[in-house]
Amino acid sequence: NSRSDNPFHLYLTGLKRDSKTYAECQRQCPGFENYLIDVNELMHHQLFKSDIIVYLTPDSPNVLQTLDPNKVYIIGGLVDENLDTGMTYKSAQELHIETARLPVDLYMNKTNPGAHCVMPINHVMNILLDIHGGHTWPDVFSKYLPQRKGFVLKPDFTVEVSGESSK
């Protein structure tokens, strides 16, 4: 985020400084305390009004097309990807929070029937940063959902490569 030309204001919510998770963040990320992040013990729905929150979840029926600068986007949490699907969607619905999913299925085909679209938080963050910076969905999905993971760009879309368009 700090290297981005157009960084986001980031919050880590529900994170206690004396927790094992916080200690692991410090261990895994040297200088974590100096990151451009607000760490808060309160949860997202306690910090922000529910009408400005959009919880990003692959289970949402709503497709994210653009980023609204007046909204707060929840990327998710440090969870095991093998947990029951729908967990984040159900949580958002219980809190009456708007949900959306990234438009992966609009721009990408699965070449591997077993391919799943559970993305690491850093990939989602990079995708959103690139979209926020003016890149297109096909560009960012081609970059962060590589063919080796079972995703290829649909034939109707092109990717910008150094100012050139390629299919």
Side-chain angles (χ1 to χ4, degrees):
N1 189 44
S2 65
R3 293 183 194 133
S4 173
D5 292 336
N6 201 1
F8 290 126
H9 189 130
L10 294 177
Y11 290 85
L12 288 180
T13 60
L15 182 61
K16 295 182 179 184
R17 291 183 189 274
D18 62 350
S19 69
K20 289 180 183 179
T21 302
Y22 190 87
E24 187 63 14
C25 288
Q26 290 176 307
R27 189 182 76 73
Q28 292 284 337
C29 307
F32 177 74
E33 303 81 19
N34 301 319
Y35 283 10
L36 298 174
I37 297 175
D38 284 332
V39 177
N40 200 303
E41 292 185 13
L42 295 175
M43 295 300 294
H44 54 81
H45 61 278
Q46 296 169 315
L47 284 175
F48 304 103
K49 294 179 182 178
S50 62
D51 63 341
I52 66 166
I53 298 174
V54 178
Y55 205 126
L56 298 177
T57 171
D59 303 304
S60 177
N62 308 313
V63 178
L64 182 67
Q65 296 291 340
T66 59
L67 296 177
D68 180 342
N70 298 312
K71 297 284 187 175
V72 173
Y73 294 92
I74 308 299
I75 292 179
L78 304 173
V79 297
D80 182 349
E81 65 187 46
N82 295 320
L83 290 174
D84 292 334
T85 59
M87 183 182 72
T88 54
Y89 180 66
K90 289 175 197 169
S91 173
Q93 284 198 308
E94 288 169 4
L95 294 169
H96 306 286
I97 293 173
E98 180 183 348
T99 63
R101 72 178 193 281
L102 299 180
V104 175
D105 56 330
L106 299 180
Y107 298 99
M108 304 295 283
N109 282 326
K110 287 184 184 182
T111 59
N112 173 357
H116 59 84
C117 200
V118 174
M119 289 183 259
I121 291 173
N122 62 314
H123 283 198
V124 176
M125 183 66 194
N126 288 332
I127 287 169
L128 294 176
L129 278 169
D130 284 1
I131 292 298
H132 185 58
H135 296 275
T136 66
W137 290 112
D139 289 342
V140 298
F141 289 147
S142 293
K143 183 176 177 181
Y144 296 106
L145 293 175
Q147 286 185 352
R148 64 181 166 70
K149 294 286 187 179
F151 291 91
V152 294
L153 193 62
K154 288 185 176 182
D156 302 345
F157 299 102
T158 59
V159 175
E160 291 294 320
V161 181
S162 302
E164 299 175 13
S165 190
S166 67
K167 280 207 172 200

